[in-house]
């Protein structure tokens, strides 16, 4: 836990030194650079894999249903 | 399936449709955003003694009538058909009964439906989201609530998000006799009579889930962005498969019995890097997980995505997953010595609680159509379509069916998606 906190503090301090100016952000707005992507399709694939593995969780906080067959 | 709506439910449904229609009309009239997405996934696997086919359709509608308000509603389902292992035995028991076929499979047909709705409010650089979903299956009911808050800082280069979700679920079980110990409990035969009032042969078992999550997304350079996610889940309640039995010893077969409490946590680090000269992106992620059932897992994913022209993107991806088994997992609970008898307080026939490895390879293509000037058919701002195909190979280290290793343990996942922005 201490290592994780130290990593977060160090990372946040380093992040404060970073400046990506608004005119440089065009690539960051590209669909290939978005983490959420196609949420519905990605969610369905994740749902299929989660039901075959013993370690779900940590990918979002919304829920609903079991779908565990 | 027949839906019987009460008068109040019909009134609520009418109000909901009315509000959504008004919001959609308002949004179109003001040229704000209405987003309609649909996705359809097919999952198929046929390992030894079982097979499973799952079709998952989904539809989401998002309306943003103003810059500070967003409303979402959606529906998804799982149409399940197949056969799963209903009675699991280990090699020791099979060796003492060489002529008997101790592993049985049962046909599975289920229809899971989930409806969800929510809204988001933006205030400055902070967005608050809240939502609810209701899920129903023949043998399961789910009520889930979630709230999230997201804000950015450092000239939009840093984004923090926290979230909390609560599930209040119920699963159908066979009514057990008074003072029945777990090693004498009978498995549920089928879902007939589940969630109907007054059926003495069926009972409801509660499951509650509390989930917390925090994430930090950081743009480091104009072509590199990372995301760190930490999640915790605390689960309390009936977590066994009510249909599955495990052979525990000579003449002793019982419904599988898992601990009621489970706490799990995971850390995920993701990175996206854009390579300008070839107009392509590399996506990489690593996830570590552990829980109080002593399952540890590591997941590593990588994807290479590139443009063909302005509208078509194609991605090639790979995923590696490895987990340890649960502390109480055994391939044979009969002990292996005569007289055969149960060992351990908990017992499971679930291969997902055994140690295993899986490898996924897949391909994905997405096409986005947007006119440089004007709209498609006057009102459509952009349209998108996607297709994906994945194959997963599972390798089970210990799980067998009476000593027979699981063969053909591979799954195929096919997906189609589409969307319109008005």
């Amino acid at each position: 836990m201490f290592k994780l906190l130290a990593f977060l503090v160090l990372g946040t301090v380093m992040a404060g030194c970073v400046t990506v100016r608004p005119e440089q952000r065009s690539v960051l707005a590209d669909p290939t650079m978005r983490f959420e992507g196609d949420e519905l399709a990605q969610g369905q694939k994740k749902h299929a894999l989660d039901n075959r593995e013993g370690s779900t969780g940590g990918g979002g906080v919304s829920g609903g249903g079991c779908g565990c067959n | 399936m027949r839906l019987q709506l009460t008068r109040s439910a019909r009134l609520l449904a009418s109000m909901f449709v009315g509000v959504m229609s008004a919001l959609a009309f308002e949004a179109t009239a003001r040229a704000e955003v209405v987003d309609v997405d649909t996705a359809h996934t097919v999952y198929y696997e046929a390992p030894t003694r079982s097979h499973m086919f799952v079709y998952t359709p989904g539809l989401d509608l998002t309306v943003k009538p103003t810059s500070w308000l967003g409303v979402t509603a959606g529906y998804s389902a799982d149409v399940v058909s197949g056969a799963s292992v209903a009675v699991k035995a280990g090699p020791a028991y099979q060796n003492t009964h060489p002529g008997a076929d101790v592993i049985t499979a049962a046909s599975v047909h289920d229809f899971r439906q989930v409806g969800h709705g929510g809204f988001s409010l933006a205030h400055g650089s902070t967005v608050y989201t809240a939502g609810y979903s209701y899920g129903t299956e023949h043998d399961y009911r789910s009520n889930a609530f979630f709230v999230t808050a997201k804000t950015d800082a450092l000239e939009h280069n840093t984004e923090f998000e926290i979230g909390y979700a609560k599930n209040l679920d119920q699963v159908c079980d066979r009514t057990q006799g008074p003072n029945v110990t777990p090693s004498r409990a009978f498995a549920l035969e089928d879902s007939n009579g589940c969630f109907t009032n007054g059926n003495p042969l069926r009972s409801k078992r509660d499951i509650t889930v509390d989930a917390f999550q925090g994430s930090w997304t950081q743009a480091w350079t104009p072509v590199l962005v990372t995301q760190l996610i930490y999640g915790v889940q605390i689960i309390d309640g009936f977590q066994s498969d009510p249909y599955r039995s495990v052979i525990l010893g000579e003449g002793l077969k019982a419904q599988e019995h898992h601990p009621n409490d489970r706490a799990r946590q995971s850390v995920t680090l993701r990175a996206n890097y854009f390579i300008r000269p070839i107009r392509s992106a590399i996506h990489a992620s690593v996830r570590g997980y552990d829980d109080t059932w002593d399952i540890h897992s590591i997941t590593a994913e990588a994807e290479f995505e590139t443009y063909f022209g302005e509208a078509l993107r194609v991605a090639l991806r790979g995923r590696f997953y490895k987990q340890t088994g649960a502390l109480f997992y055994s391939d044979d609970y009969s002990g292996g010595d005569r007289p055969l008898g149960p060992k351990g307080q908990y017992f499971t026939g679930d291969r997902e609680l055994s140690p295993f490895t899986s490898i996924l390879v897949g391909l994905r293509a997405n096409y986005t159509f947007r006119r440089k000037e004007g709209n498609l058919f006057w009102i459509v701002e952009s349209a998108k379509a996607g297709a994906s195909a994945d194959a997963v190979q599972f390798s089970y280290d210990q799980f067998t069916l009476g000593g027979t290793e699981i063969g053909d343990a591979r799954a195929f996942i096919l997906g189609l998606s589409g969307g319109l922005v008005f």
Side-chain angles (χ1 to χ4, degrees), chain A residues 25 32 44 47 55 57 61 63, chain B residues 41 78 133 157 165 283 287 321:
Chain A
R25 299 180 64 83
T32 60
Q44 289 185 354
H47 172 64
S55 63
V61 291
Chain B
T41 300
D78 279 327
S133 71
N157 291 316
H283 312 138
R287 175 179 180 269
Y321 174 82

Side-chain angles (χ1 to χ4, degrees), chain B residues 159-421:
Chain B
E159 185 179 278
F160 296 107
E161 183 171 13
I162 54 172
Y164 168 73
K166 176 100 181 173
N167 273 57
L168 297 167
D169 298 356
Q170 286 188 317
V171 61
C172 178
D173 192 16
R174 187 185 196 277
T175 301
Q176 310 290 347
N179 305 320
V180 166
T181 58
S183 62
R184 298 282 179 186
F186 290 102
L188 183 66
E189 308 89 346
D190 53 51
S191 61
N192 291 336
C194 287
F195 296 103
T196 55
N197 290 329
N199 189 328
L201 300 176
R202 298 289 178 262
S203 60
K204 295 178 216 170
R205 309 286 295 269
D206 293 330
I207 308 176
T208 60
V209 183
D210 292 277
F212 308 87
Q213 183 172 297
S215 72
W216 164 32
T217 306
Q218 180 67 44
W220 296 98
T221 75
V223 294
L224 174 66
V225 59
T226 62
Q227 186 175 59
L228 184 69
I229 307 168
Y230 177 69
V232 179
Q233 261 189 11
I234 298 165
I235 309 166
D236 178 27
F238 184 77
Q239 298 175 57
S240 310
D241 181 334
Y243 299 100
R244 192 159 41 219
S245 296
V246 180
I247 290 184
L248 303 176
E250 201 65 58
L252 189 58
K253 181 179 80 172
Q255 183 186 53
E256 73 174 13
H257 180 50
H258 294 172
N260 273 359
D261 300 312
R262 189 178 191 182
R264 47 186 18 169
Q265 60 177 348
S266 70
V267 178
T268 307
L269 179 62
R270 307 200 282 184
N272 289 345
Y273 181 70
F274 197 83
I275 309 167
R276 287 184 197 268
I278 56 172
R279 211 161 164 247
S280 305
I282 293 173
H283 312 138
S285 81
V286 180
R287 175 179 180 269
Y289 166 97
D290 69 54
D291 66 28
T292 53
W293 290 6
D294 208 30
I295 290 181
H296 308 275
S297 79
I298 184 85
T299 311
E301 292 183 78
E303 184 176 73
F304 177 77
E305 184 172 15
T306 190
Y307 274 96
F308 287 90
E310 289 298 313
L312 178 64
R313 309 191 314 269
V314 175
L316 180 66
R317 58 189 171 190
R319 178 180 188 269
F320 172 81
Y321 174 82
K322 185 175 182 60
Q323 74 168 54
T324 62
L327 187 65
F328 56 90
Y329 174 78
S330 173
D331 192 40
D332 198 323
Y333 290 92
S334 63
D337 299 318
R338 288 177 178 277
L340 298 178
K343 65 173 184 183
Q345 181 182 1
Y346 301 107
F347 30 90
T348 182
D350 190 351
R351 60 185 166 152
E352 288 140 29
L353 297 182
S354 74
F356 72 89
T357 304
S358 74
I359 293 174
L360 176 149
V361 290
L363 199 61
R364 174 171 63 82
N366 291 85
Y367 187 86
T368 305
F369 189 82
R370 180 180 286 112
R371 275 192 168 170
K372 287 184 179 171
E373 290 182 9
N375 288 333
L376 300 165
F377 307 110
W378 300 282
I379 57 168
V380 179
E381 194 175 289
S382 68
K384 64 180 181 182
S388 67
D390 296 283
V392 195
Q393 176 71 48
F394 298 90
S395 301
Y396 296 97
D397 301 343
Q398 296 177 12
F399 188 89
T400 68
L401 296 174
T404 304
E405 291 187 3
I406 305 291
D408 298 323
R410 65 185 66 95
F412 302 95
I413 308 170
L414 301 176
L416 285 175
S417 62
L420 297 171
V421 177

Side-chain angles (χ1 to χ4, degrees), chain A residues 27-41:
Chain A
V27 166
L28 296 174
D30 190 273
T32 60
M33 294 296 281
R34 292 174 55 195
F35 286 112
E36 58 270 29
D38 188 342
E39 285 185 59
L40 189 59

